[in-house]
Amino acid sequence: MDFRKLASDIIRNVGGKENINSVIHCVTRLRFSLKDHSLANTDKIKEMDGVITVVMSGGQYQVVIGNQVKDVFNEVINILGNSYSGNGGEAAETKEKNAFNRFIDVIIGIISPMMGLLAASGILKGLIGASTALHWLQATDGTYILLNALGDGLFYFLPIMVGFSAGKTFNANPYIPAAIGAALVYPAVVAAVSAGKALTFAGIPIILTNYTSSLFPIIMAAWVAAKIEKWLEKKLPSSLKLIFVPLITMVVTGILTFLAVGPVLNEFSSLLANITMGIYHLSPIIAGVILGAFWQLVVIFGLHYAFIPVLINNMTTLHYDPVNAILTVTVFAQVGAALGVFLKAKNKKVRSIAGSATVSALLGITEPAIYGISLPYKKPFVMAGIAGGIGGGITAAMGAKMFGFGGAGIFAAPMFINPKGIDSSFYGFLISALVAVIGAALLTYLFGYKDKAQTKNLESNEYRDSKDNLNIYNTIQGAIIPLSEVKDEVFSSGAMGNGFAVIPDDNKVYAPFDGKVLSVFGTKHAIGLISNDGVELLIHMGINTVELNGSPFEIKVKDNEVIKKGQLIAEVNWKLVSTKNYDITTPIIVTNTADYQSVILKVDKNKKVNIGELVLTVN
């Protein structure tokens, strides 16, 4: 894949550099903060090779890439410049954003760069716990001490790491909040807390708290430091800025943090953990069933990052988290749904997608399973929800807890190991994960997916010729041209598949075969169809006509509607399209070209073809 080209195409179609406030990435998504979402060409981005889908949620424009998101992100930043990396806290906000969405952006901007490291540290801590539980290592061994330092160091010194990340997010000097974070976990301070020693500052009592592994106090300190730093930058003469801006910012913010910000937010952290556990303890099993069944919906809307501070806070406050233990099971339910489709499907492309999605979800990345299998076929998503609910209930009933943060799928297993020894947490994880996978796979296989090849009598299909080719008939009266002449690289390059294009001279669009409507795009400019033989066809009415918001198009069919060859499926006001200076050329593409040996155009270039004439054969 050409990551540079994909990054360039995405930037252009989100409205260009001038429409971007900032961009960050998570495990699978580019998350853009845009000035105006209406300028983004969402349909075109969704059609790009390398893009799974687009999600707009939490005030962000999220382009789902998958496992290669980091490579694409790096190219995006190479094109835009480093100043666009991060939350861009003081940049102009989008028109849609409210206070909650801005808060979500801040949290994501701070935590996202650390997610991989948090997961790695959590897995390492889990493996160390397993090694001591199985008596492979003793706590006094040098190997244990070194590995434990590597695994626990991030969590112990979390205020330093979060301080640095928060400083970047707030567009300030990141070393100042990092230094304040270091002061919070300074050995003398930690020792005073452990000894219960009373301290004062200028006669004012200091409420000492253990800030190791804390999250919220340093985030607030970084925000205060950014405000003070920017005010000083405006007020102090240039000759004094180098030394006195960081000096004054660090001292003032540090004192405020120790006297007020830290104690208040540490109490808030404890309260948040208590509320979470209070809800859980009202009925662990009911909580497990509900969270297990519906958590992936939260993931779909891209709002799961809003829960990360709560989960991290539970871990740092309680040193375990039963809530994330439940959420982990939902990943295995998606594994099962994709596996069920893989076992049932006969179509090569569907099996390929389902197989890779199964492996990806097993490794903790669910987006390919969700957007490639569960959502497009709908019922597998329901089956995954049912299995996830059952698995979540089992997790809660067995009192399973996670003793580390980060990692998903099979990489979550070590974090269910209690440092004191393997107990019901680990066994609860194994049982609930197996139930979720097997349950979702069986439900999907039996009730959640109907393979088209199993329901059609293909041998008697009138659209096969004597050489066993599949025939595609013309849908719009007009002149036929090859795709290579279409003035849009996405189509002309063949990236979306082979086919042809029509320059229409009639406003009616007809069905090219017997089959079903896969989807009618929200802007009505394109219709996806599938024949009874499994040929998937996209009719894209005009070039860039997504920008017309459906005004020239009158669609006569709806999603999942059964169609017959020659049935009227749409009418288009081509005069209006031309008046608006859009190209009326209509690409018609076999989107599952890879499933076939060849897709051959059967008419000459520029030939006028009537409705129902043979134009394409698929071998």
Coordinates of all heavy atoms in Angstrom, one line a residue, residues 304-334:
H304 N -15.4 5.1 23.3 CA -14.8 4.2 24.3 C -13.6 4.9 25.0 O -13.3 4.6 26.1 CB -14.4 2.9 23.7 CG -13.6 2.9 22.5 ND1 -14.0 3.6 21.3 CD2 -12.4 2.4 22.2 CE1 -13.1 3.5 20.4 NE2 -12.1 2.8 20.9
Y305 N -13.0 5.9 24.3 CA -11.9 6.6 24.9 C -12.3 7.4 26.1 O -11.5 7.7 27.0 CB -11.2 7.4 23.9 CG -10.0 6.7 23.2 CD1 -10.3 5.7 22.2 CD2 -8.7 6.9 23.5 CE1 -9.3 5.0 21.6 CE2 -7.7 6.2 22.8 CZ -8.0 5.3 21.9 OH -7.0 4.6 21.3
A306 N -13.6 7.8 26.1 CA -14.0 8.6 27.3 C -14.0 7.8 28.6 O -14.0 8.3 29.7 CB -15.5 9.1 27.0
F307 N -14.0 6.4 28.4 CA -14.0 5.6 29.6 C -12.6 5.2 30.1 O -12.4 4.7 31.2 CB -14.7 4.2 29.3 CG -16.2 4.4 29.1 CD1 -16.7 4.8 27.9 CD2 -17.1 4.1 30.1 CE1 -18.1 5.0 27.7 CE2 -18.5 4.3 29.9 CZ -19.0 4.7 28.7
I308 N -11.6 5.5 29.3 CA -10.2 5.1 29.6 C -9.8 5.8 31.0 O -9.2 5.1 31.8 CB -9.3 5.5 28.5 CG1 -9.5 4.5 27.3 CG2 -7.8 5.4 29.0 CD1 -8.7 4.8 26.1
P309 N -10.0 7.1 31.2 CA -9.6 7.6 32.5 C -10.3 6.9 33.7 O -9.6 6.7 34.7 CB -10.1 9.1 32.4 CG -10.2 9.4 31.0 CD -10.6 8.1 30.3
V310 N -11.5 6.5 33.5 CA -12.2 5.8 34.6 C -11.5 4.4 34.9 O -11.3 4.1 36.0 CB -13.7 5.6 34.3 CG1 -14.4 4.8 35.4 CG2 -14.4 6.9 34.1
L311 N -11.2 3.7 33.8 CA -10.6 2.4 33.9 C -9.2 2.5 34.5 O -8.8 1.7 35.4 CB -10.5 1.7 32.6 CG -11.9 1.5 31.9 CD1 -11.7 0.8 30.5 CD2 -12.9 0.8 32.7
I312 N -8.4 3.5 34.0 CA -7.1 3.7 34.5 C -7.2 4.1 36.0 O -6.4 3.7 36.9 CB -6.3 4.8 33.7 CG1 -6.0 4.3 32.3 CG2 -5.0 5.2 34.4 CD1 -5.3 5.3 31.5
N313 N -8.1 5.0 36.3 CA -8.3 5.5 37.7 C -8.6 4.3 38.6 O -8.1 4.2 39.7 CB -9.4 6.5 37.7 CG -9.5 7.1 39.1 OD1 -8.6 7.8 39.6 ND2 -10.6 6.8 39.8
N314 N -9.5 3.4 38.2 CA -9.8 2.2 39.0 C -8.5 1.4 39.3 O -8.3 1.0 40.4 CB -10.8 1.3 38.3 CG -12.2 1.8 38.3 OD1 -12.5 2.8 39.1 ND2 -13.1 1.3 37.5
M315 N -7.7 1.3 38.3 CA -6.5 0.5 38.4 C -5.5 1.2 39.4 O -4.9 0.5 40.3 CB -5.8 0.4 37.0 CG -4.7 -0.6 37.0 SD -5.3 -2.3 37.4 CE -6.4 -2.5 36.1
T316 N -5.4 2.5 39.3 CA -4.4 3.2 40.1 C -4.9 3.4 41.5 O -4.1 3.5 42.5 CB -4.0 4.6 39.5 OG1 -5.2 5.3 39.3 CG2 -3.4 4.4 38.1
T317 N -6.3 3.5 41.7 CA -6.8 3.7 43.0 C -7.1 2.4 43.7 O -6.7 2.2 44.9 CB -8.2 4.4 42.9 OG1 -8.0 5.6 42.1 CG2 -8.7 4.8 44.2
L318 N -7.6 1.4 43.0 CA -8.0 0.1 43.6 C -7.0 -1.0 43.4 O -7.0 -2.0 44.1 CB -9.3 -0.4 43.1 CG -10.5 0.6 43.2 CD1 -11.7 0.1 42.4 CD2 -10.9 0.8 44.7
H319 N -6.1 -0.8 42.4 CA -5.1 -1.8 42.0 C -5.7 -3.0 41.3 O -5.0 -4.0 41.1 CB -4.2 -2.2 43.1 CG -3.6 -1.1 43.9 ND1 -2.7 -0.2 43.3 CD2 -3.8 -0.6 45.1 CE1 -2.3 0.7 44.2 NE2 -3.0 0.5 45.3
Y320 N -6.9 -2.8 40.8 CA -7.6 -3.8 40.0 C -8.8 -3.2 39.4 O -9.2 -2.1 39.8 CB -8.0 -5.1 40.8 CG -9.0 -4.8 41.9 CD1 -10.4 -4.8 41.6 CD2 -8.6 -4.6 43.2 CE1 -11.3 -4.6 42.6 CE2 -9.5 -4.4 44.2 CZ -10.9 -4.4 43.9 OH -11.8 -4.1 44.9
D321 N -9.4 -3.8 38.4 CA -10.6 -3.3 37.8 C -11.5 -4.4 37.2 O -11.1 -5.1 36.3 CB -10.2 -2.3 36.6 CG -11.4 -1.7 36.0 OD1 -12.5 -1.7 36.6 OD2 -11.3 -1.2 34.8
P322 N -12.7 -4.6 37.8 CA -13.6 -5.6 37.3 C -14.4 -5.2 36.1 O -14.9 -6.0 35.4 CB -14.5 -5.8 38.6 CG -14.6 -4.5 39.2 CD -13.2 -3.9 39.1
V323 N -14.5 -3.9 35.9 CA -15.3 -3.3 34.8 C -14.6 -3.7 33.5 O -15.2 -4.2 32.5 CB -15.5 -1.8 34.9 CG1 -16.3 -1.3 33.7 CG2 -16.3 -1.5 36.2
N324 N -13.3 -3.4 33.4 CA -12.6 -3.6 32.2 C -12.5 -5.1 31.9 O -12.4 -5.6 30.8 CB -11.2 -3.1 32.2 CG -10.6 -2.8 30.9 OD1 -11.3 -2.7 29.9 ND2 -9.2 -2.8 30.8
A325 N -12.6 -5.9 33.0 CA -12.6 -7.4 32.8 C -13.8 -7.8 32.0 O -13.7 -8.7 31.1 CB -12.6 -8.1 34.2
I326 N -14.9 -7.2 32.3 CA -16.2 -7.5 31.5 C -16.0 -7.0 30.1 O -16.4 -7.7 29.1 CB -17.4 -6.8 32.2 CG1 -17.6 -7.4 33.6 CG2 -18.6 -6.9 31.3 CD1 -18.6 -6.6 34.4
L327 N -15.5 -5.8 29.9 CA -15.4 -5.2 28.5 C -14.5 -6.1 27.7 O -14.7 -6.2 26.4 CB -14.9 -3.8 28.6 CG -15.7 -2.9 29.5 CD1 -15.1 -1.5 29.4 CD2 -17.2 -2.9 29.1
T328 N -13.5 -6.7 28.2 CA -12.5 -7.5 27.5 C -13.2 -8.7 26.8 O -12.8 -9.1 25.7 CB -11.4 -8.0 28.4 OG1 -10.8 -6.9 29.0 CG2 -10.4 -8.9 27.7
V329 N -14.3 -9.2 27.4 CA -15.0 -10.4 26.9 C -15.6 -10.0 25.5 O -15.8 -10.9 24.7 CB -16.0 -10.9 27.9 CG1 -16.8 -12.0 27.3 CG2 -15.4 -11.3 29.2
T330 N -16.0 -8.8 25.4 CA -16.8 -8.4 24.1 C -15.9 -8.6 22.9 O -16.4 -8.8 21.8 CB -17.3 -7.0 24.2 OG1 -16.2 -6.1 24.2 CG2 -18.1 -6.8 25.5
V331 N -14.6 -8.5 23.1 CA -13.6 -8.7 22.0 C -13.8 -10.1 21.5 O -13.8 -10.4 20.2 CB -12.2 -8.4 22.4 CG1 -11.2 -8.8 21.3 CG2 -12.0 -6.9 22.8
F332 N -13.9 -11.1 22.4 CA -13.9 -12.5 22.0 C -15.3 -12.8 21.3 O -15.4 -13.7 20.5 CB -13.7 -13.4 23.2 CG -12.3 -13.3 23.7 CD1 -11.9 -12.5 24.8 CD2 -11.3 -14.1 23.1 CE1 -10.6 -12.4 25.2 CE2 -10.0 -14.0 23.5 CZ -9.7 -13.2 24.6
A333 N -16.3 -12.0 21.7 CA -17.6 -12.2 21.0 C -17.5 -11.8 19.5 O -18.1 -12.5 18.6 CB -18.7 -11.4 21.7
Q334 N -16.7 -10.8 19.2 CA -16.5 -10.4 17.8 C -15.6 -11.4 17.1 O -15.8 -11.6 15.9 CB -15.8 -9.0 17.8 CG -16.7 -7.9 18.2 CD -17.9 -7.7 17.3 OE1 -17.9 -8.0 16.1 NE2 -19.1 -7.3 17.9

